[in-house]
C-alpha cells in the first residue's frame, strides 16, 4: 500500500509453501525508501519514510531448507497533499470575464476539487478541475473554502478571499453624435455605465460648436 511522507507505515508481507520458519531480505533494486526497514524474521516492512518518490525493490523469502522465492515490489511515498495556490486570489472586476485555476501539490494525482463553504461571487462557478470561471456580476469581498481530493482519497482544505471591484466607468454614447443644423435647436444626451452613479459630466478637451453647452447631467 502507498505510504505518506513522515508518517508511520507498516505492512506485513506473507508467503506460503516451503518449510517454515521463513526469513526475508531485500536482494535488488534501489532498496526500501529511506526510513523504512524490513524485519528479516517476520517479513514486516515498517518505519517512517523520510523521502517522497516512487521506489522499486525485490524481496526474497527463504524457508528452513533455503528454498527461495523473489518478488518485485513498487511503493510510492507521497508528500502531504496541500493546496499550493495562495489567498487572496487575483482581484476581478464586475462585468469582466474572470478565470483562475487553483493548484495542488503532493498526494497522488489525479486531483478533484470542490467548494465546501462560503460564497462565490455571483456569476462565477468552481469546477472539479479547480478552475474558477465566469463573469462576476457584483462587487464585494467574497470568502469561500475549497477542498482538493487526491487519487488516494486524501483531502486538503483552504480558505480563499476574492475581491471583485466595481465595473470600470465607461461612456456608452457613440463617438459620432447625430448631426445638427445651424440656427436650429439641438439636443443629445451622453450615457455611461460602470463606476458608481450618479454621474457628472464635463468637457475634457476640444470645444463644442458655438451655441451649444454641456450640462453636468450629460
Amino acid at each position: 500500500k502507498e505510504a505518506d511522507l513522515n508518517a508511520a507505515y507498516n505492512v506485513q508481507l506473507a508467503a506460503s509453501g516451503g518449510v517454515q520458519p521463513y526469513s526475508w531480505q531485500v536482494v535488488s533494486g534501489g532498496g526500501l525508501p529511506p526510513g523504512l526497514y524490513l524485519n528479516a524474521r517476520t517479513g514486516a516492512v515498517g518505519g517512517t519514510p523520510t523521502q517522497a518518490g516512487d521506489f522499486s525493490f525485490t524481496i526474497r523469502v527463504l524457508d528452513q531448507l533455503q528454498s527461495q522465492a523473489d518478488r518485485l515490489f513498487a511503493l510510492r511515498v507521497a508528500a502531504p497533499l496541500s493546496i499550493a495556490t495562495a489567498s487572496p486570489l487575483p482581484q476581478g472586476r464586475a462585468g469582466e470575464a474572470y478565470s483562475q485555476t487553483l493548484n495542488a501539490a503532493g498526494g497522488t494525482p489525479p486531483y478533484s476539487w470542490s467548494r465546501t463553504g462560503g460564497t462565490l461571487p455571483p456569476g462565477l462557478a468552481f469546477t472539479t478541475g479547480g478552475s474558477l470561471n465566469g463573469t462576476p456580476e457584483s462587487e464585494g469581498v467574497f470568502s469561500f473554502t475549497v477542498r482538493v481530493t487526491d487519487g488516494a482519497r486524501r483531502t486538503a482544505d483552504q480558505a480563499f478571499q476574492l475581491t471583485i471591484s466595481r465595473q470600470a466607468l465607461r461612456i456608452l454614447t457613440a463617438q459620432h453624435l447625430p448631426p445638427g443644423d445651424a440656427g436650429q435647436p439641438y439636443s443629445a444626451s451622453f450615457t455611461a455605465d460602470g463606476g458608481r452613479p450618479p454621474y457628472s459630466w464635463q468637457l475634457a478637451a476640444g470645444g463644442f460648436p458655438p451655441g451649444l453647452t454641456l450640462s453636468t447631467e450629460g
Side-chain angles (χ1 to χ4, degrees), residues 171-174 177-178 186-192 201 214-215 217-218:
I171 296 175
L172 298 178
T173 307
L177 296 176
Y186 181 86
S187 179
S189 294
F190 296 101
T191 58
W201 299 81
L214 173 68
S215 72
E217 291 79 25

Side-chain angles (χ1 to χ4, degrees), residues 170-184:
R170 58 177 180 166
I171 296 175
L172 298 178
T173 307
Q175 188 174 7
H176 297 286
L177 296 176
D181 294 322
Q184 299 296 318

Side-chain angles (χ1 to χ4, degrees), residues 44-209:
V45 176
T48 301
T50 58
Q51 179 180 326
D54 293 305
F55 301 85
S56 61
F57 44 87
T58 298
I59 289 181
R60 174 173 295 165
V61 60
L62 299 97
D63 73 355
Q64 192 174 23
L65 301 178
Q66 296 303 299
S67 295
Q68 64 186 47
D70 294 351
R71 174 166 290 183
L72 176 66
F73 289 90
L75 175 59
R76 165 170 287 187
V77 178
L81 178 64
S82 65
I83 296 176
T85 305
S87 180
L89 295 174
Q91 183 171 297
R93 189 185 293 272
E96 297 182 6
Y98 183 88
S99 181
Q100 181 70 27
T101 299
L102 306 185
N103 295 305
T108 303
Y111 305 121
S112 178
W113 299 79
S114 61
R115 180 172 62 89
T116 59
T119 303
L120 293 177
L124 296 187
F126 188 60
T127 72
T128 57
S131 293
L132 190 61
N133 299 308
T135 300
E137 300 169 357
S138 57
E139 63 182 283
V141 179
F142 300 86
S143 298
F144 51 93
T145 301
V146 301
R147 171 172 294 168
V148 62
T149 303
D150 74 354
R153 309 308 298 170
R154 302 179 184 87
T155 62
D157 294 354
Q158 183 166 317
F160 285 93
Q161 188 177 86
L162 172 58
T163 298
I164 303 297
S165 62
R166 60 180 179 267
Q167 187 174 7
L169 179 63
R170 58 177 180 166
I171 296 175
L172 298 178
T173 307
Q175 188 174 7
H176 297 286
L177 296 176
D181 294 322
Q184 299 296 318
Y186 181 86
S187 179
S189 294
F190 296 101
T191 58
D193 72 355
R196 183 167 293 168
Y199 305 125
S200 177
W201 299 81
Q202 63 186 46
L203 180 66
F208 292 112

